[in-house]
């Protein structure tokens, strides 16, 4: 399968400290990758670089064989990536609907059916009654579901989730895991950072990071 | 374009969501706009009123000021007596006011009053009213004798207006020979009515309702309406003011209806006086060109005043906009980080802030314009209905342009730097913020 993302010799330093050391990584289209490792190992740093949130590094980032330039990163994040954060990262003073539509506001694309699609997603995630409520007034689970809808509203090719179940109860965590699985089944490339081994084992490929290097890259075989 | 509309809609929502936080900014911008509007429009209206008045003088009168009575008398002889008119001034309650600035010492003085006067006050402080060429010489009214004499044989005679005659005796003819008691210079005296004149009322001196009332009075056959506070004029002989020291004599030659040839004759006669060395320092003739030049100078002062005002309010609102926006950017770091993570470009982050400031400014403009409009309308009403001046309301393109410059500079100029600083934040750090 063709690489959707290719990282070549990525090195990231914080002042003198090397956080990622000459990391190379090929991510194929339709992959489901989990990234695990101890705190401070460099998981989130790698995730930030894959998510084009951090562009201060040495090395090269290719998207479908195209070298990604810094000035292209805003648009890349907007159109190709869907983010799910541990802290939800919703704008508390806006409604659920406005938060979901936020990526579209900053998009150069014109989708006539976006409102319809948004409505369907709210129904699918059982949030149609909360659509116009200010995010501040919603529960943690509801906020995370809004973040899920927001991550796919632009129909991204890649979904990035950084500790997505960290702040959730079991039911909501289960929902996230099932959502990511489903997205992968629908053909999206999913990359998730987690501490949870069971969750990591749901992926097709597991990367273990330690000391700023990928020390393990294994194919996970589903349990029969 | 559609993406800009989406961004604008989001900015409206964010502005409404942060309304409380924006309140200080809205109020400060509104106050500065209010100050500018009030001051600039006041300056404009005053200027428009002045120009309108001076244009009327320019078109209808020759204005000469003499500092020498002898010269003044000589000058008078050069003109058709019927061409010299004067009618001024305002009064309140039962007191009469004469303003020396508006006096013409031909045969009589003209005084305006509402009711039968109790006291007469002389305004003798010329400086207090400024130079005549800088004043609004719009209060001249042509008069016409209805009955009786237009000359005085003694100082205790008066010529009164028709409406005053109606109040006094029921009709103009019946008023002739009537004795009236008037207060003057601290003493009361009896005056005999020797003539009645008709004043050509215009909306410049009287409000429409009063004019209508007077017109109806005339059609009723000069029947007075009791207790109606009408503006009347009493014309008194110059001798009645013999104890007043007149330092300057002003002559207004009424030109309306005169042919170009007649006007030219007048001007030639004036120039002859002007050319004589003995009169040179005692003689001032304001030409239409002088008035034009004075108007232009006034306009320059007007523009300079507005520019200074603008600078002051721009600095006040600029500091306010700048400071509030810097705080806002700092308070909204997380929000900016989220937007950037979701793909907002630096340009759209900046534009969002500019849009929010634009919305804020629009609200501030509406509040300020409503307040300023309310106050100015009150002032215009006061000028037109109470003072009864020919107050002119005119909006000048230059003022509007200055206002646009001000708005754009405060919306863009003072919000760009804080907005730019918003784009420089680190996404990862802000997303970690709790």
């Amino acid at each position: 399968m063709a690489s959707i993302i290719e990282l070549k010799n990525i090195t990231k330093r914080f002042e003198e400290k090397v956080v990622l050391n000459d990391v190379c990584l090929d991510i194929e289209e339709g992959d489901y990758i989990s990234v695990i490792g101890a705190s401070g190992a460099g998981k989130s740093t790698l995730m930030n670089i894959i998510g084009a949130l951090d562009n201060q590094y040495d090395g090269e980032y290719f998207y479908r064989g195209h070298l990604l330039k810094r000035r292209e990163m805003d648009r890349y994040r907007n159109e190709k990536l869907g983010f799910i954060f541990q802290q939800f990262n919703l704008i508390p003073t806006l409604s659920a609907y406005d938060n979901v539509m936020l990526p579209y506001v900053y998009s150069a694309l014109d989708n006539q059916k976006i409102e319809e699609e948004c409505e369907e997603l709210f129904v699918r995630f059982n949030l149609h009654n909360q659509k116009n409520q200010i995010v501040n007034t919603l529960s943690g689970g509801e906020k995370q579901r809004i973040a899920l809808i927001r991550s796919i509203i632009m129909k991204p090719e890649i979904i990035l989730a950084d500790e997505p179940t960290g702040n959730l109860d079991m039911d909501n965590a289960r929902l996230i895991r099932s959502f990511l699985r489903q997205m992968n089944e629908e053909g999206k490339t999913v990359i998730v950072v987690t501490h949870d081994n069971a969750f990591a084992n749901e992926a097709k490929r597991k990367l273990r990071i330690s000391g700023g290097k990928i020390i393990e890259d294994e194919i996970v075989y589903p349990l029969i | 374009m559609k993406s800009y509309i989406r961004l604008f809609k989001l900015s409206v929502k964010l502005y409404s969501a942060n309304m409380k936080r924006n309140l200080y900014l809205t109020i400060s911008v509104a106050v500065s706009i209010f100050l500018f509007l009030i001051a600039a429009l006041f300056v404009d209206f005053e200027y428009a009123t002045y120009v309108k008045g001076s244009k009327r003088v320019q078109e209808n009168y020759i204005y000469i000021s003499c500092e020498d009575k002898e010269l003044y008398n000589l000058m008078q002889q050069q003109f058709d007596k019927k061409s010299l008119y004067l009618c001024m001034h305002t009064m309140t309650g039962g007191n009469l006011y004469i303003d020396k600035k508006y006096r013409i010492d031909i045969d009589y003085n003209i005084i305006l009053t509402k009711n039968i006067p109790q006291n007469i006050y002389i305004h003798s402080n010329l400086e207090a009213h400024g130079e005549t060429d800088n004043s609004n010489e719009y209060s001249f009214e042509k008069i016409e004798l209805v009955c009786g004499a237009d000359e005085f044989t003694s100082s205790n005679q008066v010529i009164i207006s028709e409406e005053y005659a109606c109040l006094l005796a029921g009709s103009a003819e019946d008023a002739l020979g009537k004795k009236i008691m008037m207060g003057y210079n601290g003493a009361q005296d009896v005056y005999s009515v020797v003539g009645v004149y008709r004043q050509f009322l215009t909306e410049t001196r009287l409000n429409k309702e009063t004019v209508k009332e007077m017109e109806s009075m005339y059609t009723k056959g000069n029947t007075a309406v009791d207790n109606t506070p009408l503006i009347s004029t009493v014309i008194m002989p110059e001798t009645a003011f013999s104890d007043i020291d007149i330092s300057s004599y002003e002559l207004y030659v009424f030109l309306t209806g005169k042919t170009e040839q007649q006007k030219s004759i007048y001007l030639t006669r004036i120039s002859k006086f002007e050319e004589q060395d003995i009169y040179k320092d005692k003689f001032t003739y304001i030409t239409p060109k002088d008035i034009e030049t004075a108007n232009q100078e006034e306009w320059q002062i007007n523009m300079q005043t507005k520019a200074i005002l603008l600078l002051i309010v721009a600095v006040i609102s600029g500091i306010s906009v700048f400071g509030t926006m810097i705080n806002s950017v700092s308070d909204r770091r997380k929000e900016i980080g989220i937007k950037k993570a979701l793909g907002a470009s630096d340009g759209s982050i900046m534009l969002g802030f500019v849009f929010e400031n634009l919305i804020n400014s629009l609200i501030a403009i509406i509040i300020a314009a409503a307040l300023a409009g309310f106050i100015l309308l009150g002032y215009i009403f006061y000028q037109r209905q109470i003072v009864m001046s020919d107050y002119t309301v005119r909006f000048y393109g230059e003022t509007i342009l200055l206002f646009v410059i001000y708005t754009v500079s405060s919306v863009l100029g003072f919000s760009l730097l804080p907005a730019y600083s918003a784009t420089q934040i680190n996404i990862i750090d802000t997303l970690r913020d709790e």
Side-chain angles (χ1 to χ4, degrees):
Chain A
M1 239 186 221
S3 289
I4 191 165
I5 293 172
E6 191 182 351
L7 302 184
K8 276 189 181 172
N9 311 105
I10 299 288
T11 299
K12 172 75 185 176
R13 290 182 183 84
F14 284 118
E15 292 169 358
E16 293 303 305
K17 192 184 171 196
V18 178
V19 188
L20 285 181
N21 190 3
D22 203 27
V23 169
C24 294
L25 178 65
D26 262 0
I27 300 168
E28 289 178 353
E29 189 167 6
D31 230 342
Y32 183 174
I33 297 175
S34 60
V35 183
I36 55 170
S39 288
K43 303 188 301 289
S44 288
T45 307
L46 178 66
M47 199 62 159
N48 289 337
I49 290 172
I50 295 173
L53 296 169
D54 187 352
N55 54 25
Q56 304 294 319
Y57 53 81
D58 296 331
E60 289 171 329
Y61 185 133
F62 292 91
Y63 164 73
R64 292 191 185 279
H66 168 79
L67 178 66
L68 202 62
K69 295 173 190 74
R70 279 172 192 172
R71 61 181 158 80
E72 296 169 329
M73 286 184 171
D74 292 338
R75 191 159 184 181
Y76 174 67
R77 282 198 302 274
N78 183 260
E79 291 174 11
K80 307 295 179 193
L81 306 181
F83 289 95
I84 302 166
F85 303 98
Q86 185 181 8
Q87 309 291 344
F88 316 136
N89 282 330
L90 300 169
I91 297 178
T93 50
L94 289 179
S95 70
Y97 174 82
D98 290 329
N99 267 286
V100 166
M101 292 293 269
L102 212 51
Y104 184 61
V105 168
Y106 293 106
S107 165
L109 303 174
D110 186 21
N111 180 358
Q112 303 285 339
K113 290 183 178 170
I114 189 91
E115 287 185 17
E116 242 172 77
E117 290 164 5
C118 181
E119 189 72 40
E120 280 170 19
L121 286 170
F122 269 98
V123 174
R124 180 174 155 192
F125 282 86
N126 201 21
L127 278 170
H128 49 280
N129 290 332
Q130 285 80 8
K131 192 179 143 193
N132 294 317
Q133 277 189 36
I134 300 298
V135 161
N136 249 350
T137 62
L138 301 176
S139 69
E142 287 167 331
K143 285 179 186 169
Q144 186 59 296
R145 276 183 282 158
I146 291 162
L148 295 185
I149 299 175
R150 186 182 65 184
S151 72
I152 54 170
I153 191 73
M154 296 297 289
K155 301 194 189 82
E157 294 173 358
I158 305 151
I159 292 179
L160 303 171
D162 191 357
E163 300 282 4
T165 55
N167 275 352
L168 298 175
D169 56 35
M170 276 181 67
D171 284 346
N172 280 307
R174 203 174 295 130
L175 175 80
I176 298 280
R177 286 156 69 165
S178 125
F179 167 80
L180 292 174
R181 237 183 356 252
Q182 199 184 339
M183 287 298 111
N184 183 243
E185 280 162 12
E186 286 175 15
K188 295 190 191 301
T189 306
V190 176
I191 305 160
V192 59
V193 168
T194 182
H195 277 106
D196 181 349
N197 255 326
F199 185 11
N201 286 334
E202 286 180 13
K204 291 176 183 170
R205 188 176 161 194
K206 195 160 75 172
L207 304 178
R208 184 179 298 276
I209 296 190
S210 178
K213 279 186 173 291
I214 298 173
I215 56 160
E216 199 177 301
D217 184 351
E218 64 170 313
I219 307 291
V220 182
Y221 295 100
L223 293 170
I224 302 170
Chain B
M1 189 63 197
K2 281 183 180 169
S3 59
Y4 290 124
I5 296 170
R6 293 199 292 264
L7 185 58
F8 184 75
K9 282 182 181 170
L10 177 71
S11 301
V12 173
K13 285 173 182 168
L14 283 168
Y15 179 82
S16 332
N18 296 310
M19 192 80 103
K20 266 189 188 169
R21 187 164 52 194
N22 289 329
L23 196 63
Y24 169 72
L25 182 61
T26 315
I27 291 171
S28 56
V29 174
V31 166
S32 68
I33 293 174
F34 168 78
L35 289 174
F36 174 73
L37 279 179
I38 278 279
L41 292 179
F42 178 76
V43 168
D44 274 357
F45 295 168
E46 290 289 318
Y47 174 77
T49 307
Y50 157 77
V51 167
K52 193 174 177 186
S54 70
K55 292 265 181 212
R56 201 176 317 177
V57 173
Q58 196 177 356
E59 285 159 17
N60 297 319
Y61 299 94
I62 293 172
Y63 165 75
I64 305 154
S65 174
C66 312
E67 288 174 20
D68 184 281
K69 177 133 193 187
E70 196 184 324
L71 170 64
Y72 178 75
N73 289 332
L74 280 170
M75 285 292 303
Q76 272 189 57
Q77 290 162 19
Q78 300 300 317
F79 299 102
D80 170 13
K81 218 173 173 186
K82 299 251 180 227
S83 295
L84 305 173
Y85 296 99
L86 178 74
C87 178
M88 192 66 200
H89 195 54
T90 54
M91 56 77 59
T92 51
N95 300 331
L96 273 178
Y97 288 86
I98 305 167
D99 193 323
K100 259 213 256 173
K101 191 174 70 162
Y102 297 102
R103 284 186 59 190
I104 293 178
D105 290 33
I106 313 162
D107 294 315
Y108 43 72
N109 289 285
I110 301 175
I111 306 155
L112 282 176
T113 180
K114 279 185 179 174
N115 295 310
I116 298 168
Q118 302 300 312
N119 292 296
I120 300 172
Y121 292 97
I122 311 293
H123 280 194
S124 56
N125 185 0
L126 279 169
E127 283 77 14
H129 297 275
E131 292 300 320
T132 314
D133 61 308
N134 280 335
S135 306
N136 299 320
E137 309 297 349
Y138 54 79
S139 299
F140 300 95
E141 300 290 348
K142 192 177 178 183
I143 58 170
E144 175 194 285
L145 201 72
V146 179
C147 59
D150 63 351
E151 283 179 2
F152 301 100
T153 52
S154 102
S155 61
N156 275 38
Q157 290 176 336
V158 288
I159 299 173
I160 61 172
S161 68
E162 192 174 21
E163 62 269 29
Y164 183 12
C166 289
L167 280 172
L168 192 69
S171 74
E173 285 78 9
D174 292 343
L176 290 177
K178 290 269 181 196
K179 306 277 185 206
I180 58 172
M181 180 72 87
M182 293 204 298
Y184 163 62
N185 221 16
Q188 294 251 319
D189 210 346
V190 177
Y191 291 84
S192 168
V193 178
V194 291
V196 175
Y197 72 90
R198 179 169 296 151
Q199 192 176 341
F200 289 85
L201 301 164
T202 68
E203 74 284 357
T204 64
R205 292 295 308 146
L206 300 167
N207 65 53
K208 282 177 188 164
E209 274 180 24
T210 314
V211 172
K212 217 168 163 187
E213 212 170 284
M214 285 186 166
E215 279 170 356
S216 108
M217 196 175 75
Y218 287 135
T219 53
K220 279 178 194 167
N222 294 344
T223 307
V225 181
D226 289 339
N227 304 320
T228 310
L230 299 175
I231 290 184
S232 304
T233 304
V234 177
I235 304 171
M236 299 172 72
E238 184 188 359
T239 44
F241 302 93
S242 54
D243 55 333
I244 302 165
D245 177 34
I246 298 168
S247 61
S248 181
Y249 299 86
E250 287 154 8
L251 201 62
Y252 297 87
V253 184
F254 188 63
L255 293 178
T256 306
K258 301 286 177 207
T259 62
E260 286 305 313
Q261 197 188 354
Q262 280 171 307
K263 286 180 193 173
S264 155
I265 293 168
Y266 284 164
L267 294 176
T268 315
R269 287 173 185 169
I270 294 167
S271 62
K272 277 181 185 167
F273 277 98
E274 239 179 340
E275 284 159 14
Q276 291 178 51
D277 284 347
I278 49 162
Y279 297 130
K280 227 176 194 172
D281 298 334
K282 298 175 177 175
F283 183 89
T284 314
Y285 161 49
I286 308 295
T287 64
K289 200 168 181 300
D290 291 335
I291 294 174
E292 198 62 52
T293 312
N295 286 355
Q296 282 166 5
E297 282 167 8
E298 281 292 321
W299 176 244
Q300 291 209 332
I301 294 168
N302 170 303
M303 285 301 287
Q304 281 163 7
T305 311
K306 283 185 292 195
I308 292 167
L309 280 169
L310 194 74
L311 196 69
I312 295 168
V313 293
V315 168
I316 296 170
S317 68
I319 292 168
S320 179
V321 168
F322 188 81
T324 317
M325 281 203 61
I326 285 280
N327 280 339
S328 177
V329 167
S330 157
D331 290 351
R332 291 164 69 180
R333 273 170 54 84
K334 176 111 184 176
E335 178 192 312
I336 298 161
I338 294 169
K339 286 174 179 173
K340 288 189 78 163
L342 297 175
S345 64
D346 288 356
S348 54
I349 297 277
M350 281 177 78
L351 196 59
F353 272 96
V354 171
F355 277 157
E356 281 187 51
N357 199 20
L358 180 73
I359 296 160
N360 183 68
S361 298
L362 284 175
I363 293 172
I365 287 171
I366 292 167
I367 294 170
L371 266 175
F374 184 72
I375 289 173
L376 284 171
L377 276 176
Y379 185 68
I380 292 163
F381 176 84
Y382 167 77
Q383 282 290 340
R384 288 186 174 171
Q385 304 293 324
I386 312 291
V387 179
M388 291 188 178
S389 75
D390 185 14
Y391 202 69
T392 307
V393 175
R394 190 178 157 189
F395 297 93
Y396 291 92
E398 287 83 348
T399 310
I400 294 163
L401 185 71
L402 278 177
F403 186 65
V404 170
I405 291 170
Y406 159 76
T407 312
V408 170
S409 66
S410 86
V411 170
L412 287 179
F414 296 109
S415 62
L416 277 182
L417 191 61
Y420 174 75
S421 73
T423 66
Q424 298 306 302
I425 60 167
N426 185 303
I427 308 176
I428 300 158
D429 289 347
T430 54
L431 292 183
R432 281 199 199 114
D433 289 349
E434 285 297 324

